[in-house]
């Protein structure tokens, strides 16, 4: 469908009049919401830095210039508790954001000034690049789908999801904003899957920002070059150009600024490290350093040059993301080439510098919309170096696997008795693998990648980052692979809890069934499992103590902690409790510690004690109590928190 023109429409004379003070109050109260709305409506091609600043500019310029302004749509149809002030400023934001999505020649229509088509004068930031926190794979995929829509259809989707407007309300607002055929915009928006909850993700929060400096050396060089150009023009009247190769060879990279041998070597495609295809067979270790270069474009020097240049100095239009704790600067020397090839609708290059995996992707038809992703992989070996995410599209993932991987399969972690389905593997690249699935907001499927080689079978799960996380089971210090029948039964009720550690730089997740507790009503035995997510950066570990009763589909989170040693090799102990309702309607406080717990006690809203690692106390719904345990060595532990 073609995008619709945005043309101004006079407000009906019957509409209410909005005072400037009322509009200003609405703007101040709902400013973060309006900025998020503008950010989502603006075309992603602007680049995240300019998109952030433009979103703030559009929100700040939403106030009327006079003392009074006619509302463009009936206040009672606009939401936000029927506030006509909010309705007015929201309409202004939507209208100007839609203009920004139109080609320049189509914005300057009769009766409209050129000011709205120019970059905003304020806010202005010098020396810094601002961008929201990176979200997960779902947010990135949604942003890509929205970018493919026309401006009006993108607005229809966002107004439905973020503003919770009915289709009638969306049509009213779009028509007031100048869209001639809002019904067509709604039809086009229907092509994007409904994922409205993601619109509230930090990925689209243009008020909570990360800041990175622009390059000081580049600014100084450009300043000197500008002075030289002015002098040249004054003396001889001839055009002056900046030195170097310009934008063409380097694609979406910023202009070159470093002129030293080390930097030039790191950007030279001919200096890339390329490992022989059979080197891994005789290597003393199994990590990324012995991966050969694969893909159909390993000889495309222009593509490799663009990838290296963007890595060293990403331009403003490049979408850059990095797992927590991962530096995003350029390589210190020539990196190793792992892959270069065409994948679906993109050209992809994957590089490794001994510390990080960097993935560069650009559309097949140009370099606009290029993306650069980083993942920290220092110390990765064996299972942790088995696969890298090659591409994501429509909720599916393709992996590039290690050369020692012989077979790949897909397994639903929530169904332990179901067999694994073969996943075709060609030159180390898997067929697309679908991820988690949900129905009515509830997780129903969690697919994982099963890889098999000479060292055995292992399970890896996609958590929205470049390197999938390794899944294991067992007591800390003696964990085993999660591919066995018993391990699969342990993981099944807790598979969907993996969503809580998406985009956290997770290296591996272990599930430890640390206790089995007979239920007081003799309805069976409950299982206590502690899941611990280790990170690449060595901090920010996530620990969940989970409780699963017989016949239940999913486990329940009883307690959680972040950054502590519980359930890990340094402190292989855990204590957690839960208030549970029996089949007879009675309430109990159930608690369990690891096997080396000598005694337990509970205080506060419930009281009781027991010898050994298990405790059950009759109590009431909603009670809050404190847990304390004594280990066999006399050390005291408290409930996980």
């Amino acid at each position: 469908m073609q995008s619709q023109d945005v043309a101004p429409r006079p407000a009906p004379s019957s509409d209410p009049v909005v005072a400037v003070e009322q509009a200003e109050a609405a703007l101040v109260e709902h400013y973060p919401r309006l900025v998020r709305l503008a950010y989502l409506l603006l075309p992603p091609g602007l680049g995240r830095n300019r998109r952030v600043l433009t979103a703030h500019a559009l929100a700040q310029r939403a106030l009327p210039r006079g003392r009074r302004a006619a509302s463009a749509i009936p206040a009672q149809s606009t939401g936000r508790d029927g506030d006509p002030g909010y309705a007015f400023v929201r309409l202004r934001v939507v209208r100007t954001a839609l203009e920004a999505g139109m080609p320049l020649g189509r914005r300057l229509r009769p009766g409209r000034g050129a000011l709205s088509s120019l970059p905003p004068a304020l806010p202005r930031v010098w020396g810094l690049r601002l961008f929201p926190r990176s979200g997960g794979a779902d947010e990135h995929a949604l942003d890509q789908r929205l970018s493919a829509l026309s401006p009006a259809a993108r607005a229809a989707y966002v107004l439905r999801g973020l503003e919770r407007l009915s289709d009638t309300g969306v049509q009213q607002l779009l028509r007031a904003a100048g869209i001639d055929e809002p019904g067509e915009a709604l039809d086009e928006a229907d092509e994007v899957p409904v994922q409205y909850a993601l619109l509230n993700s930090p990925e689209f929060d243009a008020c909570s920002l990360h800041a990175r400096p622009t390059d000081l050396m580049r600014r100084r060089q450009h300043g000197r070059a500008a002075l030289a150009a002015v002098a040249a023009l004054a003396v001889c009247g001839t055009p002056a150009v900046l030195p170097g190769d310009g934008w063409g060879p380097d694609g979406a990279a910023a202009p070159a600024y470093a002129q030293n041998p080390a930097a030039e070597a790191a950007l030279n495609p001919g200096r890339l490290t390329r490992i022989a295809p059979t080197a891994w067979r005789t290597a003393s270790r199994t990590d990324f350093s012995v991966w050969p270069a694969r893909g159909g474009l390993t000889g495309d020097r222009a593509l490799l040059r663009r990838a290296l240049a963007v890595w060293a100095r990403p331009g403003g239009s490049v979408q850059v993301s990095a797992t927590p704790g991962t530096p995003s600067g350029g390589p210190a020397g020539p990196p190793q080439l792992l892959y270069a090839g065409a994948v679906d609708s993109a050209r992809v290059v994957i590089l490794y510098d001994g510390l990080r995996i960097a993935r560069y992707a650009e559309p097949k038809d140009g370099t606009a919309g290029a993306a650069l992703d980083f993942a920290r992989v220092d110390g990765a070996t064996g299972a942790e170096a088995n696969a890298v995410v090659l591409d994501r599209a429509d909720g599916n993932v393709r992996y590039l696997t290690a050369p020692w991987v012989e077979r790949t399969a897909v397994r639903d972690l929530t169904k332990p008795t179901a067999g694994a389905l073969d996943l075709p593997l060609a030159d180390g690249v898997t067929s697309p693998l679908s991820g988690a699935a949900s129905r009515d907001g509830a997780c129903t499927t969690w697919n994982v990648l099963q890889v098999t080689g000479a060292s055995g079978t292992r399970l890896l799960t996609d958590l929205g980052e470049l390197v999938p996380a390794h899944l294991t089971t067992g007591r800390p210090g003696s964990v085993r692979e999660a591919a066995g029948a018993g391990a699969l039964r342990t993981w099944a009720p807790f598979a969907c809890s993996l969503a809580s550690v998406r985009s956290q730089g997770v290296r591996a997740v272990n599930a430890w069934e640390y206790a089995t507790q007979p239920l007081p009503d003799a309805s069976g035995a409950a299982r206590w499992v502690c899941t611990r997510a280790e990170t690449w950066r060595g901090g920010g570990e996530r620990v969940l103590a989970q409780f699963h009763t017989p016949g239940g589909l999913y486990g329940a989170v009883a307690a959680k902690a972040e950054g502590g040693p519980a359930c890990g090799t340094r402190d292989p102990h855990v204590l957690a409790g839960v208030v549970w309702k029996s089949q007879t309607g009675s309430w109990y406080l159930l608690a369990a510690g690891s096997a080396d717990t000598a005694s337990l006690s509970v205080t506060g809203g419930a009281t009781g004690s027991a010898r050994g690692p298990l405790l059950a106390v009759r109590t009431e719904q909603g009670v809050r109590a404190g847990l304390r345990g004594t280990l066999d060595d006399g050390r005291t532990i408290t409930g996980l928190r």
Side-chain angles (χ1 to χ4, degrees), residues 277-283 290 403:
T278 59
W280 64 273
R281 297 183 183 275
T282 57
V290 297

Side-chain angles (χ1 to χ4, degrees), residues 287-288 325-327 352-357 375-381 384 467 507 535-538:
D287 59 16
F288 291 112
T326 304
Y352 171 63
D353 69 349
L355 172 68
R356 302 163 294 173
I357 293 289
R376 184 171 173 174
V377 292
D378 48 316
T381 184
E384 296 165 346
V467 181
R507 183 175 194 156
T535 66
W536 289 99
R537 63 190 182 278

Side-chain angles (χ1 to χ4, degrees), residues 291-356:
W291 279 34
R294 287 169 288 180
L297 298 177
T298 55
D300 189 335
R301 292 178 61 89
L303 171 64
L304 298 178
R305 176 182 174 85
R306 290 195 297 273
L308 291 167
V310 169
W311 184 355
R313 48 183 200 279
S317 65
V318 178
Q319 297 187 31
V320 181
S321 68
T323 57
T326 304
S328 57
Q336 177 183 339
L337 177 63
L338 303 186
Y339 183 86
V343 184
D344 295 329
S345 61
R347 290 185 291 263
V348 178
V349 177
I350 297 182
L351 302 163
Y352 171 63
D353 69 349
L355 172 68
R356 302 163 294 173

Side-chain angles (χ1 to χ4, degrees), residues 223-617:
R224 291 194 298 267
L227 289 174
V230 170
L233 285 171
V235 172
C236 56
T238 58
V241 296
L242 292 175
D245 295 322
W247 287 82
D250 294 346
Y257 57 88
Q259 300 293 330
N260 63 73
E264 291 178 352
L267 301 180
N268 184 353
R271 300 289 297 275
L272 283 171
T273 300
R274 298 171 186 253
I275 305 301
T278 59
W280 64 273
R281 297 183 183 275
T282 57
S284 60
R285 56 187 183 181
T286 53
D287 59 16
F288 291 112
S289 69
V290 297
W291 279 34
R294 287 169 288 180
L297 298 177
T298 55
D300 189 335
R301 292 178 61 89
L303 171 64
L304 298 178
R305 176 182 174 85
R306 290 195 297 273
L308 291 167
V310 169
W311 184 355
R313 48 183 200 279
S317 65
V318 178
Q319 297 187 31
V320 181
S321 68
T323 57
T326 304
S328 57
Q336 177 183 339
L337 177 63
L338 303 186
Y339 183 86
V343 184
D344 295 329
S345 61
R347 290 185 291 263
V348 178
V349 177
I350 297 182
L351 302 163
Y352 171 63
D353 69 349
L355 172 68
R356 302 163 294 173
I357 293 289
R359 181 183 64 186
Y360 169 79
E362 65 180 26
K364 286 184 177 178
D365 56 356
T367 60
L372 182 64
D373 304 305
F374 294 96
R376 184 171 173 174
V377 292
D378 48 316
T381 184
E384 296 165 346
N386 264 335
V388 172
V389 171
L390 191 59
D391 178 61
R392 300 181 193 276
D394 299 325
N396 298 322
V397 180
R398 287 184 189 269
Y399 291 96
L400 176 67
T401 61
W404 52 83
V405 171
E406 300 169 358
R407 298 189 308 278
T408 55
V410 57
R411 178 181 289 279
D412 184 356
L413 199 58
T414 66
K415 300 176 177 61
T417 59
L421 302 176
D422 287 340
L423 192 66
L425 188 66
D427 193 24
V429 178
T430 70
S431 295
L433 166 65
S434 61
S438 60
R439 183 182 299 115
D440 298 328
C443 171
T444 57
T445 298
W446 192 278
N447 287 331
V448 297
L449 176 68
Q450 179 174 294
V451 297
T452 302
S455 59
T457 299
R458 290 160 172 161
L459 297 186
L460 308 173
T461 185
D462 175 33
L463 294 179
E465 297 168 329
L466 278 183
V467 181
H470 179 209
L471 298 181
T472 59
T473 58
R475 181 180 175 84
S478 58
V479 301
R480 59 187 182 276
E481 296 299 331
L488 291 172
R489 287 194 298 271
T490 297
W491 261 112
F494 313 105
C496 291
S497 68
L498 288 166
S500 66
V501 291
R502 283 185 184 273
S503 305
Q504 298 299 317
V506 172
R507 183 175 194 156
V509 188
N510 183 59
W512 171 31
E513 186 173 331
Y514 67 90
T516 300
Q517 182 172 26
L519 295 172
D521 63 354
S523 59
R527 298 163 52 209
W528 288 89
V529 170
C530 187
T531 58
R532 179 179 174 90
E534 302 284 354
T535 66
W536 289 99
R537 63 190 182 278
E541 299 85 357
R542 301 289 182 93
V543 180
L544 299 178
Q546 304 192 63
F547 178 77
H548 179 243
T549 55
L553 290 178
Y554 309 109
V557 176
K560 56 185 175 181
E562 181 175 349
C567 289
T569 54
R570 289 174 49 207
D571 186 18
H573 312 287
V574 64
L575 172 60
V578 66
V579 176
W580 172 77
K581 184 180 181 181
S582 70
Q583 294 180 354
T584 60
S586 300
W587 289 91
Y588 293 87
L589 189 148
L590 305 179
S594 44
D596 56 352
T597 304
S599 64
L600 294 179
S601 63
V602 58
T603 59
T607 58
S609 61
R611 296 185 62 82
L614 303 176
L615 179 145
V617 176

